[in-house]
């Protein structure tokens, strides 16, 4: 995304004049990116159970987290595709179970994470499914995800939504769980193309909206939900809120909350 960021930065003066949504809704939900990790209470540990808990207790609309699958089919909450050089997809869970993240927790399994997740029904769990090597592996990942959500009583569109850079998994989820929000994270397909595949949401990097000025309205014409990631600067937050996003994903959720107040927008909870 560095190239996109550079282009957007050079064009920013012009982009700020975009008609982002004079008639857009004046409300939005805040999604804590990898949980509300950026605080002492969570030990500054991304994707930790503590970060999820802090997001829940702070009352943010949603908490985002990343999920990978080990070679023996254990789902773990971890952003990168490898841990200290070991590719998660090709190694068993036993090789990762003792690894400590920044706050001293071990890498959470999806079971541990969902146990915390179900304690606060009002917090949307924004479940990012990380791309895997092939469609066969991704299909297994989807099936195990559905199974785990069922086991924890969380297979509910009011409790969980899905995001992914994998177009294949978004298509499979849209087919298997049409009542759920499924947002595509990539910028290589426009909303019309995604809607044709029955994908009902977009979660684009905020620079994508600067570069493709028509995509927001295109998404709305397709009745898609709209999220923007990872929006950490006040100017970009303000532009995304003015544009009319349903959700804004950020590492600085408290700052986003204060900005909504200053703008006299409603923070969805």
């Amino acid at each position: 995304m560095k190239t996109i960021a550079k282009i957007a930065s050079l064009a920013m003066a012009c982009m700020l004049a975009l008609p982002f949504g004079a008639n857009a809704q004046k409300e939005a939900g805040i999604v804590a990116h990898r949980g509300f990790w950026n605080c002492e209470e969570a030990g500054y540990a991304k994707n930790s159970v503590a970060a999820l808990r802090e997001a829940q207790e702070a009352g943010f609309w949603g908490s985002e987290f990343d999920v990978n699958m080990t070679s023996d089919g254990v789902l773990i909450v971890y952003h990168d595709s490898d841990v200290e050089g070991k590719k998660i997809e090709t190694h068993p869970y036993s090789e990762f179970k003792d690894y400590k993240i920044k706050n001293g927790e071990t890498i959470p399994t999806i079971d541990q994470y969902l146990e915390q997740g179900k304690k606060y029904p009002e917090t949307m769990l924004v479940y990012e499914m990380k791309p895997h090597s092939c469609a066969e592996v991704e299909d297994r990942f989807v099936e195990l995800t559905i199974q785990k959500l069922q086991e924890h009583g969380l297979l509910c569109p009011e409790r969980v939504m899905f995001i992914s850079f994998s177009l294949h998994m978004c298509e499979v989820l849209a087919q298997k769980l049409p009542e759920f929000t499924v947002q595509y994270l990539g910028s290589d397909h426009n909303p019309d193309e995604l809607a044709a595949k029955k994908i009902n949401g977009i979660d684009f990097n905020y620079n994508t909206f600067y570069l493709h000025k028509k995509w927001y309205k295109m998404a709305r014409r397709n009745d898609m939900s709209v999220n923007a990631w990872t929006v950490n600067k006040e100017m970009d937050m303000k532009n995304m809120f003015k544009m009319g996003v349903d959700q804004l994903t950020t590492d600085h959720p408290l700052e986003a909350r204060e900005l909504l107040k200053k703008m006299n927008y409603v923070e969805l909870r």
Side-chain angles (χ1 to χ4, degrees):
M1 303 304 289
K2 288 183 179 179
T3 301
I4 290 177
K6 184 177 181 180
I7 295 171
S9 177
L10 292 172
M12 188 65 69
C14 295
M15 296 301 182
L16 291 178
L18 288 175
F20 264 172
N23 299 314
Q25 60 198 23
K26 293 191 174 183
E27 60 182 26
I30 296 170
V31 177
H33 182 232
R34 305 185 199 171
F36 185 20
W37 61 269
N38 197 11
C39 63
E40 186 176 347
E41 292 81 0
Y44 302 96
K46 301 175 183 180
N47 277 322
S48 62
V49 173
L52 170 59
R53 183 191 67 237
E54 294 305 312
Q56 293 170 317
E57 292 184 356
F60 298 121
W61 181 88
S63 187
E64 185 264 356
F65 58 105
D66 306 284
V67 184
N68 273 284
M69 182 176 69
T70 65
S71 64
D72 52 348
V74 177
L75 306 184
I76 61 174
V77 181
Y78 196 76
H79 177 269
D80 296 346
S81 61
D82 66 273
V83 179
E84 294 188 330
K86 292 182 179 180
K87 192 169 180 63
I88 294 171
E89 182 182 334
T90 59
H91 288 75
Y93 173 64
S94 60
E95 297 192 31
F96 306 114
K97 67 182 183 64
D98 296 322
Y99 180 82
K100 298 290 180 65
I101 58 177
K102 191 168 184 177
N103 65 355
E105 292 182 23
T106 53
I107 297 174
T109 64
I110 196 64
D111 290 304
Q112 293 166 334
Y113 204 84
L114 295 179
E115 277 299 308
Q116 177 62 39
K118 64 188 182 185
K119 293 178 182 178
Y120 288 76
E122 63 275 16
T123 303
M124 179 65 74
L125 299 175
V126 183
Y127 192 126
E128 180 173 348
M129 304 189 72
K130 305 302 286 187
H132 284 58
S133 59
C134 64
E136 182 181 3
V137 173
E138 291 190 339
D139 288 343
R140 184 181 182 214
F141 187 8
V142 170
E143 290 299 330
L144 285 172
T145 288
I146 293 172
Q147 177 185 322
K148 288 298 182 182
L149 290 171
Q150 287 175 326
E151 289 174 4
H152 290 271
L154 289 170
L155 191 62
C156 172
E158 284 75 42
R159 301 299 309 279
V160 176
M161 62 184 282
F162 300 101
I163 61 176
S164 185
F165 281 102
S166 166
L167 184 63
H168 174 72
M169 282 196 287
C170 286
E171 288 186 84
V172 172
L173 286 163
Q175 180 181 22
K176 290 181 174 290
L177 302 171
E179 69 277 21
F180 281 71
T181 297
V182 178
Q183 296 178 335
Y184 181 60
L185 286 164
S187 59
D188 53 342
H189 294 277
N190 69 44
D192 280 347
E193 294 168 336
L194 297 170
K197 298 177 182 294
K198 308 300 182 184
I199 295 167
N200 61 12
I202 56 173
D203 186 1
F204 290 152
N205 180 274
Y206 65 93
N207 282 309
T208 300
F209 291 110
Y210 290 141
L211 292 170
H212 300 284
K213 294 179 282 186
K214 297 180 180 180
W215 283 14
Y216 172 80
K217 289 184 177 179
M218 188 186 295
R220 291 309 190 194
R221 286 199 302 269
N222 285 292
D223 295 320
M224 302 176 90
S225 66
V226 178
N227 195 345
W229 64 268
T230 298
V231 194
N232 289 337
K233 294 181 180 179
E234 182 173 314
M235 179 184 67
D236 297 315
M237 289 182 187
K238 190 172 185 179
N239 284 335
M240 293 300 104
F241 287 142
K242 283 186 174 181
M243 187 177 69
V245 294
D246 297 305
Q247 303 97 29
L248 181 139
T249 300
T250 178
D251 290 314
H252 304 295
L254 291 178
E255 288 86 339
R257 172 171 285 169
E258 287 304 308
L259 181 59
L260 282 174
K261 289 179 183 177
K262 284 195 279 187
M263 294 175 68
N264 291 315
Y265 276 37
V266 174
E267 180 190 349
L268 299 176
R269 304 288 185 115

